[in-house]
Structures are given as structure tokens and as C-alpha cells.
Amino acid sequence: MIEHSTRRRFLAAGASAAAAFSLPRGPALGQTAPRVIVIGGGFAGATAARALKKADPRIAVTLVEANRTFTACPFSNLVLGGLRSLDQQQFGYEGVARDGIEIAFTAATQVEPQSRKVSFATGSALGYERLVIAPGIDIDWNGLPGYSQAAAQKMPHAWKAGEQTLLLRRQLEAMEDGGVVVMSAPANPFRCPPGPYERASLIANYLKTSKPRSKLILLDAKDAFSKQRLFQNAWKELYPDHLEWVALSNGGKVTSVDPAEMTLTTDFAKHKATVANVIPPQRAAHIARLAGVADNTGWCPIDPVTFESKLVPNVHVLGDAIIAGGMPKSAFAANAQAKVCATAIAKLLAGEPPSDPKLINTCYSIVAPNYGFTVAGVYVPVNGVLTDVQGAGGVSPLEAPRSVRAQEALFAEGWFNTITGEIFG
Amino acid sequence: MGALRLCLSILALTAATETASALSPEPPPGASSCSGCHAAKRVDTAVPPLAGRQAADIIAQMQAFKSGQKPATVMDRIAKGFTDPEIQAIAEWYARQK
């Protein structure tokens, strides 16, 4: 693979003397090419793999991913709302492989930072110079009494897109008109901060148009949430009879669930659900904890210049699993972090100091067809923490004509096509 | 003789440059985030591409977003996070991309 891309590189450079001179001089050539292993083929990991290869084609990049098909979470709320099909969310790794990246379709089972080695479910192992872990989240099965993997078959979380998304969609479709959908949103931090509110909106849209005697109740463990005023204004305008949000201070925090009874219990009441969507507490996925890069919060502290773990040297962590200061756990952020991290790793491997980065996040939320809005931010490392650049970022204007909301909904679709095109195309 | 020495020194210089640039040119701070929305390849989106555009054009647009002179959905909020030299560096970098 390396030999092949080196030759291509050589040919691309033409027969110039410069290219001939440079070939034996590169730090990685003449020796073994440095290997970077990337665990996790989602928005962060697949971006990192391709960006590493782009930053320095001599790096041998191995992407470790258990699934041959990636199912994207952004826009999966549209699937729940009946506005999109799940296959529009799914991508293969052919484009990644075309870049000369070796893909191991298996699970990483062990990381040994001392000997710089990753073991796989297949029984084999591979050494690395640098390791990137982009593991995503795990549901914290101990985080909510009554909730378990078995319970998730009756009360889906649908917080990892795929089978869970389809299960919840089927339940919504099967529900009689007049049913009650009860959702629960967790305390911070969790994957996709505006996600529960977008989901509530799009399910309410489905109820309003297809099952108008039904209603959604969103029980929240928080009093404040991302793009709150924008969501609440939209709910008042679009779903006054179909969506009720119960804040923490109004008794919204779910303390236990009972899948047999289909109830969600708060300190104040027991809510009986026809369809229940429990978005439970989360943490960095298992492999992050195995590798020792997660701290006692369950999430992973990182250096914001290189995204190297603050706990384990030569291991970089990306995406929803990390403690990213002001940056939210979003697909856009994961992609932006991965590109910065890849550049930094290429420089570190070449013996050069990494540069201070600047990163952007943009998150779109859709509350109805042709109705979208955003939150954006620009971030720099300040005292070791990714920090919002003052005066930049923020949410869409609270007062705006529907044409602006329609334009943002259109740009949201463009964003999805662009980012998945960059990563998987 | 002089010509040969010049030729050799050019070769040496080029070789040194090539060695230093074994890495692909590094995008300036902020630039790599842009491709999350501004596609480098052909995809279905209403967002215009940046690669290959005139640097002066990108700078003018960014300044207009930053000042609020040009109506925007999200770019006004993003442009405000960048200094003039940063905008210039990003614009020049994208102008060099194909």
C-alpha cells in the first residue's frame, strides 16, 4: 500500500531531479513507514483516516471499524418523523479504502499503550506510532434505574442510528391515533445537545399530520438546552397541541423507567407511554475506557492542539467521546477536530511542532419540513481548553421570516451531503 | 563551471525544499473546518465551493459577512471569529486548492 502510493507520488512529481533527491530523505522512507491506527469509522475516525493520508501519504493508516456500513445520526430524526429513509443515512467505506487506507472490519479489544499495540477480536494485533480513538458513545446502562439493553427493545433510545431508529419508527407508525409519546432527555453532557428537541419536533410534526389526536411529552433533566428559544418559539407556532416540554424544575427529570408497564417516573409523577423514547445518560464508548483515555467522568480529556489524550501518551481521542471545552458533541465538531488532529499527527511524526488550531462548529436542527436553524461557534485553545472566540458564533436570529428558516433547512441538507461526501465519498 | 555550480546549488535547494515539504502544505488555522460545509468535490448543496476561487473574492465575501453588510444565515456568525490576517491566509490557501 505504502509502496504503491510512494510510487504514485513519485510519478506524480514527474522525473524531476528534485523528486529523485527527496525520496530517500523523507524521515519515513528507507525505514518502515510510520503506522497510525484509527479506531472507529464514524464522522471523527473516518475523517481522521483520510486526512492523515492526505497530510502525508507515507503514513500507513489502518482504520478499525466493526461495521461495514456506517449509519449517520445527524438527520436520523427525519427518519423517525417519516421524512427520510434510513438508507439515505448509510455509507460504506469504499471511498476510504480508495485513498490507500487499510480497513480492518473488526473490533479493537485491547490497547497496550506501553508497547503501542492494539489487539483485535480476530485475535491478531498491530503496532502503532500514534493511535487515534474515535469511539463515539456508549449508553450508560447503569445510569437510569429500570433501563437496560432488554428495556431498549421496548423503549428504544435510538441514540445510535440504525436498528434502534427503525424500531422507534415502527412503534410510532403502529401507535393508534390518540396515543401518548413520552420522551426523556438526559442531563449534560450527551451526544448532540439539540438532538432531543429536534426529535421531539419531528415526531410532533408526524403526530400533527398523521395522528392529530396524539401528543408528545418531553421529560427533561435540564432547565436549559441548546437553541432553546428557537425551539420553543417553533413549538408554540407549529405544535401547540402536540408537544409539551417538562423542564427539570417542573419535575421533568426521569428517575426510573418500567418497560413492562411502559412508564417513566419522575419525582412528581408517573407517565404512562404508548410509545416511549428514552435518551439515557451516556459516556465515552468502551474502548476508550479500556485504553485508559477516559477519566472518572466517563469522558476523555485531551490537549486541544493535538487532541492527544491527557492521560495516555501517543493516543489521540476525537469526537463525541472527548471533553472538548466549548465545542459540542456534534458531527461537524468531530469532523473539524479530526482534520486538525491529522495535521498535528503528521507534523509530530515528521518531527515538527504542531500549530495552534482554530476550529468551527455548525449544527443544524430541523423542526419541520423547510424549517431549520443553527448554532455556530469558532474555537481556539485557551489555557488548554477549546474556548469560544468572543463575538463570534451563536444561534440563528429569534425573529426571522420563514424564508430564512427554509434557507437554513436547505443548507442543512447541503451540509449533510457535503460532510458525508468528504468522509465517505 | 559557474553554470554547473549554479545548477547544483539549485538542485540542492530544490531537494531541501522537497524534503521540508514531504508533508502536504498545512492549512492555516480555521481553514480545514470550512470543508464541513463547502464541498471540495461535487455534491448536491446550495453552499458554494471555496477551492480555486480568487483569494480577493473570498476576502471580500468574508469581510462583508463579518461587517454584516452581506445578509447571511450562518456565515456572519462564523466570519466574526476570524481576524483579517486569518481571513487572508484562509482565502489564499483555498485559492491554491483545486
Side-chain angles (χ1 to χ4, degrees), chain A residues 96-157:
Chain A
V96 178
R98 253 198 319 274
D99 284 358
I101 291 157
E102 183 191 355
I103 306 178
F105 287 110
T106 178
T109 52
Q110 202 184 357
V111 174
E112 293 171 55
Q114 301 294 324
S115 50
R116 294 193 197 178
K117 202 174 79 177
V118 178
S119 302
F120 305 110
T122 52
S124 61
L126 195 62
Y128 62 83
E129 303 289 322
R130 295 259 162 189
L131 172 64
V132 177
I133 305 183
I137 55 138
D138 271 354
I139 303 301
D140 180 0
W141 296 111
N142 299 316
L144 180 61
Y147 203 60
S148 63
Q149 275 165 301
Q153 293 306 309
K154 279 205 77 184
M155 304 172 127
H157 54 77

Short mmCIF file of all heavy atoms in Angstrom, two decimals, chain A residues 96-157:
data_model
loop_
_atom_site.label_atom_id
_atom_site.label_comp_id
_atom_site.label_asym_id
_atom_site.label_seq_id
_atom_site.Cartn_x
_atom_site.Cartn_y
_atom_site.Cartn_z
N VAL A 96 -13.08 5.46 1.48
CA VAL A 96 -11.96 5.49 2.43
C VAL A 96 -10.85 4.56 1.94
O VAL A 96 -9.67 4.93 1.91
CB VAL A 96 -12.43 5.08 3.84
CG1 VAL A 96 -11.27 5.07 4.82
CG2 VAL A 96 -13.54 6.01 4.34
N ALA A 97 -11.25 3.36 1.51
CA ALA A 97 -10.28 2.37 1.05
C ALA A 97 -9.53 2.86 -0.19
O ALA A 97 -8.33 2.61 -0.35
CB ALA A 97 -10.98 1.04 0.76
N ARG A 98 -10.24 3.58 -1.05
CA ARG A 98 -9.63 4.10 -2.29
C ARG A 98 -8.45 5.02 -2.03
O ARG A 98 -7.57 5.16 -2.86
CB ARG A 98 -10.69 4.88 -3.09
CG ARG A 98 -11.19 4.16 -4.32
CD ARG A 98 -11.88 5.09 -5.32
NE ARG A 98 -12.74 6.10 -4.74
CZ ARG A 98 -14.02 5.91 -4.43
NH1 ARG A 98 -14.60 4.74 -4.64
NH2 ARG A 98 -14.74 6.89 -3.90
N ASP A 99 -8.42 5.64 -0.84
CA ASP A 99 -7.30 6.52 -0.51
C ASP A 99 -6.05 5.76 -0.08
O ASP A 99 -5.05 6.35 0.29
CB ASP A 99 -7.71 7.47 0.64
CG ASP A 99 -8.61 8.59 0.17
OD1 ASP A 99 -8.89 8.66 -1.04
OD2 ASP A 99 -9.03 9.41 1.01
N GLY A 100 -6.13 4.42 -0.10
CA GLY A 100 -4.97 3.64 0.31
C GLY A 100 -4.95 3.38 1.80
O GLY A 100 -3.89 3.13 2.38
N ILE A 101 -6.12 3.46 2.40
CA ILE A 101 -6.24 3.19 3.83
C ILE A 101 -6.64 1.73 4.01
O ILE A 101 -7.57 1.24 3.35
CB ILE A 101 -7.28 4.13 4.48
CG1 ILE A 101 -6.71 5.56 4.47
CG2 ILE A 101 -7.64 3.68 5.89
CD1 ILE A 101 -7.75 6.64 4.54
N GLU A 102 -5.92 1.04 4.89
CA GLU A 102 -6.25 -0.34 5.18
C GLU A 102 -7.41 -0.35 6.17
O GLU A 102 -7.37 0.36 7.18
CB GLU A 102 -5.03 -1.02 5.79
CG GLU A 102 -5.22 -2.49 6.07
CD GLU A 102 -4.07 -3.06 6.92
OE1 GLU A 102 -3.10 -2.33 7.20
OE2 GLU A 102 -4.19 -4.22 7.31
N ILE A 103 -8.45 -1.11 5.86
CA ILE A 103 -9.60 -1.13 6.76
C ILE A 103 -9.73 -2.51 7.37
O ILE A 103 -9.80 -3.51 6.66
CB ILE A 103 -10.90 -0.75 6.04
CG1 ILE A 103 -10.71 0.60 5.33
CG2 ILE A 103 -12.06 -0.65 7.04
CD1 ILE A 103 -11.90 1.07 4.55
N ALA A 104 -9.74 -2.57 8.68
CA ALA A 104 -9.91 -3.83 9.39
C ALA A 104 -11.33 -3.83 9.94
O ALA A 104 -11.65 -3.09 10.88
CB ALA A 104 -8.90 -3.95 10.52
N PHE A 105 -12.19 -4.67 9.33
CA PHE A 105 -13.58 -4.73 9.80
C PHE A 105 -13.67 -5.68 10.99
O PHE A 105 -14.06 -6.84 10.87
CB PHE A 105 -14.50 -5.17 8.67
CG PHE A 105 -14.72 -4.10 7.63
CD1 PHE A 105 -14.18 -4.22 6.36
CD2 PHE A 105 -15.44 -2.95 7.95
CE1 PHE A 105 -14.37 -3.22 5.41
CE2 PHE A 105 -15.63 -1.95 7.00
CZ PHE A 105 -15.09 -2.09 5.74
N THR A 106 -13.28 -5.17 12.12
CA THR A 106 -13.28 -5.96 13.34
C THR A 106 -13.35 -4.99 14.52
O THR A 106 -13.30 -3.78 14.32
CB THR A 106 -12.01 -6.84 13.43
OG1 THR A 106 -12.02 -7.58 14.66
CG2 THR A 106 -10.75 -6.00 13.37
N ALA A 107 -13.46 -5.53 15.70
CA ALA A 107 -13.48 -4.67 16.88
C ALA A 107 -12.10 -4.68 17.53
O ALA A 107 -11.41 -5.70 17.56
CB ALA A 107 -14.52 -5.17 17.87
N ALA A 108 -11.68 -3.53 18.02
CA ALA A 108 -10.46 -3.46 18.83
C ALA A 108 -10.84 -3.95 20.22
O ALA A 108 -11.85 -3.53 20.79
CB ALA A 108 -9.94 -2.04 18.89
N THR A 109 -10.06 -4.87 20.76
CA THR A 109 -10.41 -5.46 22.05
C THR A 109 -9.47 -5.05 23.16
O THR A 109 -9.78 -5.19 24.34
CB THR A 109 -10.41 -7.00 21.96
OG1 THR A 109 -9.16 -7.40 21.40
CG2 THR A 109 -11.56 -7.49 21.10
N GLN A 110 -8.28 -4.57 22.78
CA GLN A 110 -7.32 -4.19 23.80
C GLN A 110 -6.34 -3.17 23.23
O GLN A 110 -5.96 -3.24 22.06
CB GLN A 110 -6.55 -5.43 24.27
CG GLN A 110 -5.94 -5.26 25.64
CD GLN A 110 -5.10 -6.47 26.05
OE1 GLN A 110 -5.01 -7.46 25.35
NE2 GLN A 110 -4.47 -6.35 27.21
N VAL A 111 -5.96 -2.22 24.08
CA VAL A 111 -4.93 -1.25 23.70
C VAL A 111 -3.83 -1.32 24.74
O VAL A 111 -4.10 -1.26 25.94
CB VAL A 111 -5.50 0.18 23.64
CG1 VAL A 111 -4.40 1.20 23.39
CG2 VAL A 111 -6.58 0.29 22.57
N GLU A 112 -2.60 -1.51 24.27
CA GLU A 112 -1.46 -1.54 25.20
C GLU A 112 -0.56 -0.35 24.90
O GLU A 112 0.29 -0.41 24.02
CB GLU A 112 -0.68 -2.85 25.04
CG GLU A 112 -1.47 -4.07 25.47
CD GLU A 112 -0.75 -5.36 25.08
OE1 GLU A 112 0.41 -5.53 25.47
OE2 GLU A 112 -1.38 -6.16 24.37
N PRO A 113 -0.77 0.76 25.64
CA PRO A 113 -0.02 1.99 25.34
C PRO A 113 1.50 1.84 25.57
O PRO A 113 2.28 2.50 24.91
CB PRO A 113 -0.60 3.00 26.33
CG PRO A 113 -1.87 2.40 26.82
CD PRO A 113 -1.71 0.94 26.74
N GLN A 114 1.88 0.95 26.49
CA GLN A 114 3.31 0.76 26.75
C GLN A 114 4.02 0.20 25.52
O GLN A 114 5.04 0.73 25.09
CB GLN A 114 3.51 -0.22 27.93
CG GLN A 114 2.86 0.21 29.23
CD GLN A 114 3.50 1.47 29.80
OE1 GLN A 114 4.71 1.66 29.70
NE2 GLN A 114 2.69 2.32 30.39
N SER A 115 3.47 -0.86 24.98
CA SER A 115 4.09 -1.49 23.81
C SER A 115 3.50 -0.96 22.50
O SER A 115 3.86 -1.43 21.43
CB SER A 115 3.93 -3.00 23.89
OG SER A 115 2.58 -3.34 24.15
N ARG A 116 2.59 0.04 22.61
CA ARG A 116 1.95 0.65 21.44
C ARG A 116 1.38 -0.42 20.51
O ARG A 116 1.78 -0.57 19.36
CB ARG A 116 2.94 1.51 20.66
CG ARG A 116 3.39 2.72 21.43
CD ARG A 116 4.08 3.69 20.51
NE ARG A 116 4.87 4.65 21.25
CZ ARG A 116 5.61 5.59 20.69
NH1 ARG A 116 5.65 5.70 19.38
NH2 ARG A 116 6.30 6.43 21.41
N LYS A 117 0.40 -1.12 21.04
CA LYS A 117 -0.17 -2.24 20.31
C LYS A 117 -1.68 -2.29 20.53
O LYS A 117 -2.16 -2.03 21.62
CB LYS A 117 0.47 -3.54 20.82
CG LYS A 117 0.40 -4.70 19.85
CD LYS A 117 1.19 -5.89 20.40
CE LYS A 117 0.37 -6.62 21.44
NZ LYS A 117 1.05 -7.83 21.97
N VAL A 118 -2.39 -2.59 19.45
CA VAL A 118 -3.84 -2.77 19.55
C VAL A 118 -4.15 -4.23 19.20
O VAL A 118 -3.64 -4.75 18.20
CB VAL A 118 -4.60 -1.83 18.58
CG1 VAL A 118 -6.11 -2.08 18.64
CG2 VAL A 118 -4.29 -0.38 18.88
N SER A 119 -4.97 -4.89 20.01
CA SER A 119 -5.41 -6.25 19.69
C SER A 119 -6.84 -6.20 19.15
O SER A 119 -7.62 -5.32 19.52
CB SER A 119 -5.38 -7.13 20.95
OG SER A 119 -4.09 -7.13 21.48
N PHE A 120 -7.15 -7.17 18.31
CA PHE A 120 -8.44 -7.20 17.65
C PHE A 120 -9.23 -8.45 18.00
O PHE A 120 -8.65 -9.46 18.39
CB PHE A 120 -8.25 -7.11 16.13
CG PHE A 120 -7.43 -5.93 15.72
CD1 PHE A 120 -6.14 -6.10 15.22
CD2 PHE A 120 -7.93 -4.65 15.85
CE1 PHE A 120 -5.37 -5.00 14.86
CE2 PHE A 120 -7.17 -3.55 15.49
CZ PHE A 120 -5.88 -3.73 14.99
N ALA A 121 -10.54 -8.37 17.77
CA ALA A 121 -11.42 -9.52 18.02
C ALA A 121 -11.02 -10.72 17.19
O ALA A 121 -11.32 -11.86 17.55
CB ALA A 121 -12.86 -9.12 17.74
N THR A 122 -10.35 -10.49 16.09
CA THR A 122 -9.92 -11.59 15.22
C THR A 122 -8.76 -12.37 15.83
O THR A 122 -8.39 -13.41 15.32
CB THR A 122 -9.45 -11.03 13.86
OG1 THR A 122 -8.48 -10.00 14.13
CG2 THR A 122 -10.59 -10.45 13.07
N GLY A 123 -8.17 -11.83 16.89
CA GLY A 123 -7.04 -12.50 17.51
C GLY A 123 -5.70 -11.89 17.12
O GLY A 123 -4.69 -12.13 17.78
N SER A 124 -5.68 -11.10 16.05
CA SER A 124 -4.42 -10.50 15.63
C SER A 124 -4.16 -9.19 16.38
O SER A 124 -5.01 -8.70 17.13
CB SER A 124 -4.42 -10.27 14.12
OG SER A 124 -5.46 -9.39 13.80
N ALA A 125 -2.98 -8.64 16.20
CA ALA A 125 -2.60 -7.39 16.86
C ALA A 125 -1.75 -6.57 15.90
O ALA A 125 -1.19 -7.11 14.93
CB ALA A 125 -1.84 -7.68 18.14
N LEU A 126 -1.67 -5.28 16.16
CA LEU A 126 -0.93 -4.39 15.27
C LEU A 126 -0.29 -3.28 16.09
O LEU A 126 -0.91 -2.75 17.01
CB LEU A 126 -1.91 -3.80 14.25
CG LEU A 126 -1.34 -3.11 13.00
CD1 LEU A 126 -0.54 -4.07 12.14
CD2 LEU A 126 -2.49 -2.52 12.17
N GLY A 127 0.95 -2.95 15.75
CA GLY A 127 1.66 -1.88 16.46
C GLY A 127 1.40 -0.53 15.82
O GLY A 127 1.00 -0.43 14.66
N TYR A 128 1.60 0.55 16.58
CA TYR A 128 1.38 1.89 16.05
C TYR A 128 2.43 2.87 16.55
O TYR A 128 3.02 2.65 17.62
CB TYR A 128 -0.02 2.39 16.44
CG TYR A 128 -0.26 2.52 17.94
CD1 TYR A 128 0.16 3.66 18.64
CD2 TYR A 128 -0.92 1.52 18.65
CE1 TYR A 128 -0.06 3.78 20.02
CE2 TYR A 128 -1.15 1.63 20.02
CZ TYR A 128 -0.72 2.77 20.70
OH TYR A 128 -0.93 2.89 22.04
N GLU A 129 2.64 3.93 15.78
CA GLU A 129 3.41 5.08 16.27
C GLU A 129 2.48 6.00 17.05
O GLU A 129 2.81 6.52 18.09
CB GLU A 129 4.00 5.88 15.10
CG GLU A 129 4.87 5.11 14.16
CD GLU A 129 6.19 4.74 14.80
OE1 GLU A 129 6.74 5.57 15.56
OE2 GLU A 129 6.66 3.62 14.56
N ARG A 130 1.31 6.20 16.44
CA ARG A 130 0.27 7.02 17.06
C ARG A 130 -1.06 6.29 16.89
O ARG A 130 -1.30 5.66 15.85
CB ARG A 130 0.17 8.39 16.37
CG ARG A 130 1.42 9.25 16.54
CD ARG A 130 1.22 10.28 17.62
NE ARG A 130 2.51 10.83 18.08
CZ ARG A 130 2.64 11.62 19.14
NH1 ARG A 130 1.56 11.95 19.85
NH2 ARG A 130 3.81 12.07 19.51
N LEU A 131 -1.90 6.42 17.89
CA LEU A 131 -3.21 5.79 17.84
C LEU A 131 -4.27 6.88 17.94
O LEU A 131 -4.13 7.81 18.74
CB LEU A 131 -3.35 4.81 19.01
CG LEU A 131 -4.74 4.18 19.26
CD1 LEU A 131 -5.16 3.30 18.09
CD2 LEU A 131 -4.72 3.35 20.55
N VAL A 132 -5.29 6.77 17.11
CA VAL A 132 -6.44 7.69 17.20
C VAL A 132 -7.65 6.86 17.64
O VAL A 132 -7.96 5.85 17.01
CB VAL A 132 -6.74 8.37 15.85
CG1 VAL A 132 -7.98 9.25 15.95
CG2 VAL A 132 -5.53 9.16 15.37
N ILE A 133 -8.28 7.28 18.72
CA ILE A 133 -9.51 6.60 19.15
C ILE A 133 -10.67 7.56 18.96
O ILE A 133 -10.70 8.63 19.54
CB ILE A 133 -9.42 6.15 20.62
CG1 ILE A 133 -8.16 5.28 20.83
CG2 ILE A 133 -10.66 5.35 21.00
CD1 ILE A 133 -8.04 4.72 22.25
N ALA A 134 -11.59 7.15 18.10
CA ALA A 134 -12.79 7.94 17.83
C ALA A 134 -13.98 7.03 18.08
O ALA A 134 -14.63 6.56 17.15
CB ALA A 134 -12.77 8.47 16.39
N PRO A 135 -14.24 6.74 19.34
CA PRO A 135 -15.10 5.61 19.68
C PRO A 135 -16.58 5.92 19.73
O PRO A 135 -17.40 5.01 19.79
CB PRO A 135 -14.62 5.24 21.08
CG PRO A 135 -14.24 6.57 21.69
CD PRO A 135 -13.72 7.42 20.55
N GLY A 136 -16.94 7.22 19.73
CA GLY A 136 -18.34 7.55 19.93
C GLY A 136 -18.75 7.27 21.36
O GLY A 136 -17.92 7.22 22.26
N ILE A 137 -20.06 7.09 21.53
CA ILE A 137 -20.59 6.95 22.88
C ILE A 137 -21.08 5.53 23.16
O ILE A 137 -21.36 4.78 22.24
CB ILE A 137 -21.78 7.91 23.11
CG1 ILE A 137 -22.87 7.70 22.02
CG2 ILE A 137 -21.31 9.36 23.12
CD1 ILE A 137 -24.26 7.70 22.55
N ASP A 138 -21.17 5.21 24.43
CA ASP A 138 -21.92 4.05 24.89
C ASP A 138 -23.09 4.57 25.71
O ASP A 138 -22.98 5.62 26.35
CB ASP A 138 -21.06 3.17 25.80
CG ASP A 138 -20.27 2.12 25.03
OD1 ASP A 138 -20.47 2.01 23.80
OD2 ASP A 138 -19.44 1.44 25.65
N ILE A 139 -24.17 3.84 25.69
CA ILE A 139 -25.23 4.11 26.65
C ILE A 139 -24.71 3.68 28.02
O ILE A 139 -24.10 2.62 28.16
CB ILE A 139 -26.50 3.28 26.29
CG1 ILE A 139 -26.97 3.58 24.86
CG2 ILE A 139 -27.61 3.51 27.32
CD1 ILE A 139 -27.31 5.01 24.58
N ASP A 140 -24.93 4.51 29.03
CA ASP A 140 -24.56 4.12 30.39
C ASP A 140 -25.72 3.30 30.95
O ASP A 140 -26.70 3.86 31.45
CB ASP A 140 -24.31 5.38 31.23
CG ASP A 140 -23.93 5.04 32.66
OD1 ASP A 140 -23.86 3.84 32.98
OD2 ASP A 140 -23.71 5.99 33.44
N TRP A 141 -25.58 1.98 30.86
CA TRP A 141 -26.69 1.09 31.24
C TRP A 141 -26.95 1.12 32.75
O TRP A 141 -27.95 0.60 33.21
CB TRP A 141 -26.44 -0.33 30.75
CG TRP A 141 -26.40 -0.42 29.25
CD1 TRP A 141 -25.31 -0.69 28.47
CD2 TRP A 141 -27.48 -0.22 28.32
NE1 TRP A 141 -25.64 -0.67 27.13
CE2 TRP A 141 -26.97 -0.39 27.01
CE3 TRP A 141 -28.84 0.09 28.47
CZ2 TRP A 141 -27.76 -0.26 25.87
CZ3 TRP A 141 -29.63 0.21 27.33
CH2 TRP A 141 -29.10 0.03 26.04
N ASN A 142 -26.03 1.69 33.51
CA ASN A 142 -26.26 1.83 34.94
C ASN A 142 -26.79 3.23 35.30
O ASN A 142 -26.93 3.56 36.47
CB ASN A 142 -24.97 1.58 35.72
CG ASN A 142 -24.46 0.17 35.49
OD1 ASN A 142 -25.24 -0.77 35.51
ND2 ASN A 142 -23.17 0.04 35.24
N GLY A 143 -27.01 4.04 34.27
CA GLY A 143 -27.31 5.45 34.52
C GLY A 143 -28.77 5.75 34.83
O GLY A 143 -29.08 6.83 35.33
N LEU A 144 -29.68 4.82 34.52
CA LEU A 144 -31.09 5.09 34.72
C LEU A 144 -31.78 3.80 35.20
O LEU A 144 -31.91 2.84 34.45
CB LEU A 144 -31.73 5.56 33.40
CG LEU A 144 -33.22 5.89 33.43
CD1 LEU A 144 -33.54 7.02 34.41
CD2 LEU A 144 -33.72 6.24 32.03
N PRO A 145 -32.21 3.77 36.46
CA PRO A 145 -32.83 2.55 37.01
C PRO A 145 -33.99 2.05 36.13
O PRO A 145 -34.84 2.84 35.73
CB PRO A 145 -33.33 2.99 38.40
CG PRO A 145 -32.38 4.09 38.79
CD PRO A 145 -32.06 4.82 37.50
N GLY A 146 -33.97 0.78 35.83
CA GLY A 146 -35.01 0.17 35.02
C GLY A 146 -34.65 0.07 33.56
O GLY A 146 -35.25 -0.70 32.81
N TYR A 147 -33.65 0.89 33.13
CA TYR A 147 -33.29 0.87 31.71
C TYR A 147 -32.15 -0.11 31.50
O TYR A 147 -31.20 -0.15 32.28
CB TYR A 147 -32.90 2.27 31.23
CG TYR A 147 -33.05 2.42 29.73
CD1 TYR A 147 -34.30 2.25 29.13
CD2 TYR A 147 -31.96 2.71 28.91
CE1 TYR A 147 -34.46 2.37 27.76
CE2 TYR A 147 -32.11 2.85 27.53
CZ TYR A 147 -33.37 2.67 26.96
OH TYR A 147 -33.53 2.78 25.60
N SER A 148 -32.28 -0.92 30.44
CA SER A 148 -31.28 -1.95 30.15
C SER A 148 -31.33 -2.23 28.66
O SER A 148 -32.18 -1.68 27.95
CB SER A 148 -31.65 -3.22 30.91
OG SER A 148 -32.92 -3.70 30.44
N GLN A 149 -30.43 -3.11 28.22
CA GLN A 149 -30.46 -3.47 26.80
C GLN A 149 -31.79 -4.12 26.42
O GLN A 149 -32.30 -3.88 25.33
CB GLN A 149 -29.27 -4.37 26.47
CG GLN A 149 -28.04 -3.53 26.17
CD GLN A 149 -26.76 -4.31 26.18
OE1 GLN A 149 -26.40 -4.93 27.18
NE2 GLN A 149 -26.06 -4.27 25.07
N ALA A 150 -32.33 -4.91 27.34
CA ALA A 150 -33.64 -5.53 27.08
C ALA A 150 -34.72 -4.44 27.05
O ALA A 150 -35.60 -4.45 26.18
CB ALA A 150 -33.95 -6.57 28.14
N ALA A 151 -34.64 -3.49 27.98
CA ALA A 151 -35.63 -2.41 28.03
C ALA A 151 -35.60 -1.58 26.74
O ALA A 151 -36.64 -1.09 26.28
CB ALA A 151 -35.38 -1.51 29.24
N ALA A 152 -34.40 -1.44 26.16
CA ALA A 152 -34.26 -0.63 24.93
C ALA A 152 -34.98 -1.25 23.74
O ALA A 152 -35.21 -0.58 22.73
CB ALA A 152 -32.78 -0.43 24.60
N GLN A 153 -35.35 -2.54 23.87
CA GLN A 153 -36.15 -3.15 22.81
C GLN A 153 -37.62 -2.74 22.91
O GLN A 153 -38.34 -2.78 21.93
CB GLN A 153 -36.03 -4.68 22.87
CG GLN A 153 -34.62 -5.19 22.52
CD GLN A 153 -34.11 -4.67 21.20
OE1 GLN A 153 -34.78 -4.76 20.18
NE2 GLN A 153 -32.91 -4.09 21.20
N LYS A 154 -38.04 -2.35 24.11
CA LYS A 154 -39.42 -1.86 24.29
C LYS A 154 -39.49 -0.35 24.28
O LYS A 154 -40.46 0.24 23.82
CB LYS A 154 -39.99 -2.39 25.62
CG LYS A 154 -40.50 -3.82 25.51
CD LYS A 154 -41.57 -4.10 26.55
CE LYS A 154 -42.92 -3.49 26.16
NZ LYS A 154 -43.93 -3.68 27.21
N MET A 155 -38.46 0.27 24.88
CA MET A 155 -38.39 1.74 24.96
C MET A 155 -37.09 2.17 24.29
O MET A 155 -36.08 2.40 24.95
CB MET A 155 -38.37 2.17 26.43
CG MET A 155 -39.55 1.67 27.27
SD MET A 155 -39.25 2.05 29.02
CE MET A 155 -40.75 2.90 29.43
N PRO A 156 -37.10 2.26 22.96
CA PRO A 156 -35.83 2.49 22.25
C PRO A 156 -35.19 3.82 22.65
O PRO A 156 -35.88 4.79 22.95
CB PRO A 156 -36.24 2.53 20.78
CG PRO A 156 -37.64 2.06 20.71
CD PRO A 156 -38.25 2.19 22.06
N HIS A 157 -33.84 3.82 22.64
CA HIS A 157 -33.13 5.10 22.81
C HIS A 157 -32.96 5.77 21.45
O HIS A 157 -33.05 6.98 21.33
CB HIS A 157 -31.77 4.89 23.51
CG HIS A 157 -30.87 3.89 22.87
ND1 HIS A 157 -30.15 4.16 21.74
CD2 HIS A 157 -30.58 2.59 23.19
CE1 HIS A 157 -29.44 3.09 21.40
NE2 HIS A 157 -29.69 2.11 22.26
#
